[in-house]
Amino acid sequence: MDFRLLPTSKEILESTSPELYPNIIKGEYPDVDTYLDIHYTLQREDFIRPIREGLAAFRKAPDNGKNSNSLRIFHNVQFSKINRVSHELGIDVLFNIDDCIDEDWENSKRFMRGSLLIFTKDDFKTVIMGTVLQHNPAQLRRGCVTVQLNDVSHCSVEKSVHRYTMVEPDTYFLPYSQVMKVLLSLSERSFPFRNEIIYAYKGGYEIEYIDQSTRFELPWGAFAPAQEIDRYLTARDMCLNESQFKALTAALTKRLVLIQGPPGTGKTHVGTKIVEILLLNSKIWNRNNETPLLVVCATNHTLDQFLERLLPLTDRVVRVGDQSKSEKLIPYNLNTILRNEEGRQNQPASMRISYKTMMQQWNRIEKLQQFRDKVGPALNERHKYEQETLLQEKDYYERVQAFKEVQQEKGLEKLQEALIVGMTTTCAAQMNSVLQKLRSPIVVVEEAAEVLEAHIIASLTQYCKHLILIGDHQQLRPSTAHPYLSEKCHLEVSLFERLVNNGVPYQMLKTQHRMRPDIACLLTPVFYSVLENHPCTLNREPVRGMKKNMFFMSHSFHEKEHKATHGYSNMFEATFIITLCQHLLRQGYRASDIVILSMYIQQVRLLKQLQSKEKELSSLAITSVDNFQGQESPIILLSLVRNNKGTIGFLRTSNRTCVALSRARNGLYIFGNIELLASQSSVWEKLKDVLTKQGAVGPGLPVVCSTHLTSNAADLYRIGNLSSCPNCS
């Protein structure tokens, strides 16, 4: 960890925030230095501001509870003994497990590797900061976490008699720290795509590695001039529609390409086809056979999906990072490859020697710990112990660094042997020094409109000659830790969206393959000017047990506010939706055919509580809209929750609404207060008009018995009789 990146005591404790300059979302930046300064400051403030506000509230009223909306507070914390995790030195910190008795440590986001922790023994007159070295569920269940401290030697606080207050911010520090580190390293000379990103150049530079003499190989073995590939290749040849084909040819001939993929338009399919042609012609851009194409995604889930689609094209794939859930990618994971190398005992001599000297130094530190435990707390002996251990710590750090450099070189060799290297944006920022050596000339970014701009920049190097950004700025924007940074500083505007706003040409995919037309009509023209329906969306079987395939059930049952978490839930909606699920199962649907979505985490938790009481619903998926971006389901039940006298919160956000309404293939059923929504949002006002014209909004949900074809309006007062049919026993 580069401890320069940690917040200072002044930054987290001062009452005023620094002066901030917003992201320039229209027009050009004056120069690279201004750009870097603005984005570095905004990244830093986005992480620090919630801590500053949370600590101010806690210090003002420390008895109001252990946790705030942005911090978790632990009292009577103690430093225990020096420990080693993945060759890094840290210290075990003991905390009261009763403070988190119900925590599911296997799936918890608490104490993640790289999380920031703040310690104080004197009400923040002095503070110690550190980062978590490992998320170990077994260790955490015992009330212990290993932390690497800054500005303080681990031996100086080991077995300390002092009790500390420990603060864990909700915001995850690791991505911020890695991105800030890269921003600090960039300069005018090394900044990638300077003309387009800094100076808002709208023209289309040609790709540097192709010229008029370059010929691309086509899938059937023929060759064509690379700059005129659209004359020799057709949409049918590539199994694409016309808008997809235009995106493909643009991606193969322009050095910076933006591809907008509205819901269900097949942007990942197009991305796969682009990579297919590039792989056929790898000798052109990978002339030394050691500069692979780099695939970068915002999430591990999307990265796994994309790389799985590329495996039939080549087995020279390396997936970097340890958060993959894909069994297919296990043999291609860099850690797996390196472990297999270790098993064959063919590590270079330099690695074996470096590892041996590092472990010898750790053994010296362990012996000093044993000596300390024997002599007890005698001051003179303790001082001697601390001085000696401090020297040994410094020596150990130097040896760890030497070992890491050798290990990094070994990993780099494996990456250079690949044709495709895949990683998340966070991983790319962490490994930027490796990427500088890898020198990938082509970078493909999936979910590019969901990623903070600085995170894209941190994934690139000066050696990138061809950048393909695939995303949709009409769907979810990047998330920030503090709303001020989004609302006032435009930090939530992605690089993808900013380039579109500045007139950089982009290719839009125009044919959707997901939603039946009566659902797709909600998106056009409210969110998209054009969105055509593929024939596969037509003439589908109606949703069994329902009179309408899409319906908005409007009601006036009020929400419940959860002030501690700033969240909301709605018991009426939750109860009704669970009953509707049971009705759909009685029509022959499986639980896997249905997904329940909500805009609010508190509502997701309430729905899961009700689900746990119904055995037949145990496998039903219930999640937030944000977590379901990029996914789909035959039937979606959407709980909007908000129902009050005039506030709808982020239901005003058109991007999130677009995602929520576009996940369903065959059936979409929405629950909320349409009058409230329409009065607070122009987007919902337009949606209300569409729903009204279709006869798809009302106070009762029209259901039918699919066996006897009888009808029943499941209105607000007959929730228990949702499937009542006089012919059913």
Side-chain angles (χ1 to χ4, degrees):
M1 169 59 64
D2 186 342
F3 292 118
R4 296 175 303 163
L5 304 172
L6 292 170
T8 64
S9 299
K10 183 179 179 182
E11 284 179 307
I12 63 173
L13 296 176
E14 63 186 3
S15 58
T16 57
S17 300
E19 184 178 8
L20 298 174
Y21 294 94
N23 181 18
I24 300 173
I25 58 175
K26 192 71 174 175
E28 64 184 67
Y29 275 84
D31 50 53
V32 170
D33 286 343
T34 302
Y35 176 94
L36 292 172
D37 182 59
I38 286 176
H39 279 273
Y40 177 86
T41 304
L42 293 180
Q43 287 287 312
R44 193 170 183 86
E45 181 63 12
D46 190 42
F47 177 76
I48 292 174
R49 185 171 286 218
I51 302 175
R52 184 187 302 122
E53 293 179 356
L55 284 178
F58 170 71
R59 296 178 73 192
K60 185 176 180 181
D63 298 326
N64 281 355
K66 294 177 180 176
N67 305 318
S68 72
N69 190 42
S70 59
L71 306 174
R72 176 174 282 199
I73 310 294
F74 296 83
H75 297 287
N76 296 316
V77 167
Q78 207 169 7
F79 292 117
S80 180
K81 62 178 180 128
I82 297 175
N83 201 350
R84 187 175 65 93
V85 175
S86 299
H87 311 309
E88 295 281 359
L89 276 187
I91 190 162
D92 286 346
V93 175
L94 307 180
F95 59 91
N96 187 353
I97 195 64
D98 291 339
D99 290 341
C100 37
I101 193 71
D102 297 323
E103 196 77 42
D104 175 12
W105 290 115
E106 299 290 343
N107 301 303
S108 174
K109 300 298 183 184
R110 296 289 181 184
F111 296 121
M112 296 292 290
R113 184 181 67 83
S115 295
L116 178 71
L117 297 178
I118 304 168
F119 302 89
T120 182
K121 61 184 179 184
D122 50 16
D123 191 29
F124 298 95
K125 293 182 178 66
T126 60
V127 298
I128 299 172
M129 295 193 193
T131 52
V132 176
L133 281 179
Q134 181 186 41
H135 180 91
N136 184 330
Q139 184 187 37
L140 291 167
R141 280 192 287 270
R142 299 194 306 268
C144 179
V145 60
T146 306
V147 180
Q148 188 173 67
L149 303 177
N150 77 308
D151 293 337
V152 175
S153 66
H154 298 100
C155 61
S156 67
V157 295
E158 189 184 12
K159 302 290 185 181
S160 171
V161 296
H162 296 289
R163 299 283 177 151
Y164 289 80
T165 296
M166 178 174 71
V167 177
E168 182 192 17
D170 274 0
T171 308
Y172 188 31
F173 180 59
L174 182 64
Y176 286 92
S177 65
Q178 300 305 317
V179 169
M180 289 190 293
K181 185 176 181 179
V182 176
L183 294 179
L184 287 174
S185 72
L186 290 172
S187 64
E188 175 83 23
R189 184 177 178 182
S190 64
F191 196 94
F193 289 82
R194 186 168 55 248
N195 286 338
E196 295 92 337
I197 294 173
I198 304 297
Y199 303 118
Y201 178 72
K202 299 177 180 62
Y205 287 117
E206 303 299 329
I207 301 171
E208 290 183 27
Y209 60 78
I210 63 175
D211 56 32
Q212 290 183 344
S213 65
T214 306
R215 296 173 68 79
F216 269 174
E217 183 179 352
L218 303 180
W220 53 90
F223 287 82
Q227 294 179 343
E228 300 177 349
I229 194 169
D230 57 331
R231 293 178 54 191
Y232 299 86
L233 193 65
T234 67
R236 179 176 292 182
D237 293 333
M238 297 304 295
C239 300
L240 300 172
N241 60 47
E242 286 303 320
S243 64
Q244 290 174 330
F245 182 68
K246 286 182 180 179
L248 171 82
T249 54
L252 295 174
T253 55
K254 303 299 181 185
R255 92 180 203 124
L256 173 62
V257 182
L258 308 179
I259 300 174
Q260 182 190 9
T265 54
K267 59 181 183 292
T268 303
H269 177 60
V270 173
T272 304
K273 292 294 184 179
I274 292 168
V275 174
E276 178 184 347
I277 298 293
L278 291 172
L279 288 178
L280 279 174
N281 297 279
S282 61
K283 291 179 180 179
I284 295 172
W285 49 266
N286 188 17
R287 288 172 182 169
N288 296 325
N289 206 29
E290 57 182 27
T291 55
L293 180 151
L294 178 64
V295 173
V296 180
C297 300
T299 64
N300 285 287
H301 175 75
T302 301
L303 179 62
D304 286 346
Q305 283 188 323
F306 198 13
L307 292 182
E308 283 182 2
R309 295 180 72 134
L310 299 180
L311 289 180
L313 304 178
T314 179
D315 61 356
R316 291 174 62 187
V317 174
V318 176
R319 204 281 197 201
V320 184
D322 56 4
Q323 298 299 312
S324 174
K325 304 295 184 186
S326 168
E327 292 187 7
K328 292 181 182 178
L329 292 173
I330 291 174
Y332 302 94
N333 191 283
L334 180 60
N335 290 334
T336 303
I337 295 169
L338 292 176
R339 278 195 296 270
N340 290 340
E341 290 280 311
E342 291 174 8
R344 289 193 289 268
Q345 296 184 342
N346 59 350
Q347 305 108 311
S350 57
M351 180 176 285
R352 293 197 301 270
I353 294 169
S354 181
Y355 180 79
K356 183 178 179 180
T357 58
M358 179 181 67
M359 292 308 298
Q360 287 173 342
Q361 190 61 25
W362 168 244
N363 290 336
R364 293 188 186 101
I365 293 173
E366 283 191 314
K367 287 179 180 178
L368 282 169
Q369 284 185 293
Q370 293 167 5
F371 168 77
R372 188 280 320 277
D373 291 339
K374 287 181 179 178
V375 301
L379 288 178
N380 59 335
E381 293 292 346
R382 185 175 184 83
H383 179 71
K384 178 182 176 182
Y385 159 77
E386 288 182 3
Q387 291 298 314
E388 180 63 23
T389 306
L390 183 57
L391 291 173
Q392 299 296 345
E393 275 191 50
K394 290 179 179 178
D395 194 359
Y396 179 79
Y397 283 131
E398 292 174 3
R399 299 187 188 212
V400 167
Q401 190 59 38
F403 176 74
K404 282 184 175 180
E405 289 173 4
V406 177
Q407 200 176 38
Q408 190 179 90
E409 287 300 317
K410 186 66 176 176
L412 178 62
E413 287 178 16
K414 295 303 169 186
L415 297 181
Q416 289 172 330
E417 293 171 6
L419 271 177
I420 297 171
V421 172
M423 58 184 70
T424 62
T425 51
T426 299
C427 185
Q430 283 181 272
M431 297 187 64
N432 186 266
S433 60
V434 175
L435 295 182
Q436 294 289 347
K437 297 177 182 178
L438 193 61
R439 300 189 174 197
S440 294
I442 305 174
V443 178
V444 179
V445 184
E446 252 273 43
E447 298 178 320
E450 289 184 61
V451 185
L452 291 168
E453 178 163 342
H455 292 235
I456 297 284
I457 302 303
S459 303
L460 306 177
T461 71
Q462 67 197 83
Y463 303 103
C464 179
K465 309 300 181 187
H466 189 184
L467 177 59
I468 302 167
L469 301 178
I470 305 172
D472 182 11
H473 55 290
Q474 296 296 107
Q475 297 188 63
L476 289 183
R477 279 177 154 181
S479 59
T480 61
H482 197 286
Y484 182 88
L485 277 295
S486 294
E487 297 164 6
K488 303 297 182 182
C489 299
H490 312 307
L491 189 59
E492 69 172 356
V493 176
S494 65
L495 174 64
F496 189 103
E497 183 175 355
R498 189 169 70 82
L499 292 174
V500 170
N501 290 343
N502 281 299
V504 174
Y506 66 98
Q507 302 296 321
M508 179 180 171
L509 309 183
K510 296 179 180 177
T511 303
Q512 69 88 17
H513 299 69
R514 176 185 298 163
M515 299 157 279
R516 64 192 321 146
D518 38 357
I519 298 174
C521 71
L522 293 174
L523 305 186
T524 310
V526 179
F527 303 102
Y528 303 99
S529 57
V530 176
L531 195 59
E532 299 164 0
N533 297 312
H534 189 271
C536 71
T537 66
L538 309 176
N539 304 316
R540 291 180 180 174
E541 177 193 15
V543 178
R544 298 190 297 276
M546 309 298 289
K547 269 194 171 182
K548 293 277 188 179
N549 298 312
M550 190 239 335
F551 197 85
F552 189 117
M553 180 172 167
S554 187
H555 68 89
S556 56
F557 285 82
H558 278 208
E559 68 202 32
K560 177 184 177 181
E561 182 179 4
H562 301 263
K563 293 184 178 179
T565 58
H566 294 269
Y568 298 88
S569 63
N570 192 304
M571 179 58 80
F572 169 76
E573 288 185 16
T575 307
F576 196 101
I577 286 171
I578 292 296
T579 306
L580 177 56
C581 286
Q582 294 168 323
H583 167 71
L584 291 169
L585 293 184
R586 285 193 286 268
Q587 312 310 309
Y589 289 106
R590 298 166 298 176
S592 59
D593 295 325
I594 307 164
V595 171
I596 303 176
L597 297 181
S598 180
M599 300 284 199
Y600 289 90
I601 293 297
Q602 287 294 341
Q603 184 72 348
V604 170
R605 290 172 181 165
L606 175 58
L607 283 159
K608 287 184 175 181
Q609 288 174 9
L610 298 179
Q611 175 195 28
S612 66
K613 301 174 183 178
E614 309 295 339
K615 277 188 178 180
E616 71 273 27
L617 301 180
S618 59
S619 60
L620 185 76
I622 302 174
T623 188
S624 67
V625 170
D626 288 16
N627 286 340
F628 207 65
Q629 161 106 344
Q631 300 180 65
E632 61 181 46
S633 175
I635 299 173
I636 292 288
L637 310 182
L638 175 62
S639 174
L640 298 179
V641 177
R642 302 307 299 271
N643 216 312
N644 54 57
K645 295 181 179 179
T647 304
I648 62 172
F650 56 60
L651 293 186
R652 286 196 194 90
T653 308
S654 63
N655 302 67
R656 188 173 275 109
T657 301
C658 177
V659 173
L661 299 180
S662 59
R663 302 302 97 197
R665 290 178 54 80
N666 300 326
L668 173 63
Y669 301 97
I670 311 166
F671 303 86
N673 186 328
I674 193 65
E675 300 300 334
L676 172 65
L677 293 167
S679 70
Q680 297 293 309
S681 163
S682 59
V683 168
W684 280 105
E685 187 176 14
K686 295 173 185 174
L687 290 169
K688 179 188 174 184
D689 290 342
V690 175
L691 291 163
T692 302
K693 287 175 184 176
Q694 284 204 29
V697 61
L701 183 66
V703 298
V704 298
C705 172
S706 57
T707 303
H708 301 104
L709 302 179
T710 55
S711 301
N712 175 47
D715 62 28
L716 308 185
Y717 306 105
R718 290 188 288 170
I719 187 170
N721 298 317
L722 194 57
S723 297
S724 60
C725 169
N727 300 314
C728 289
S729 55

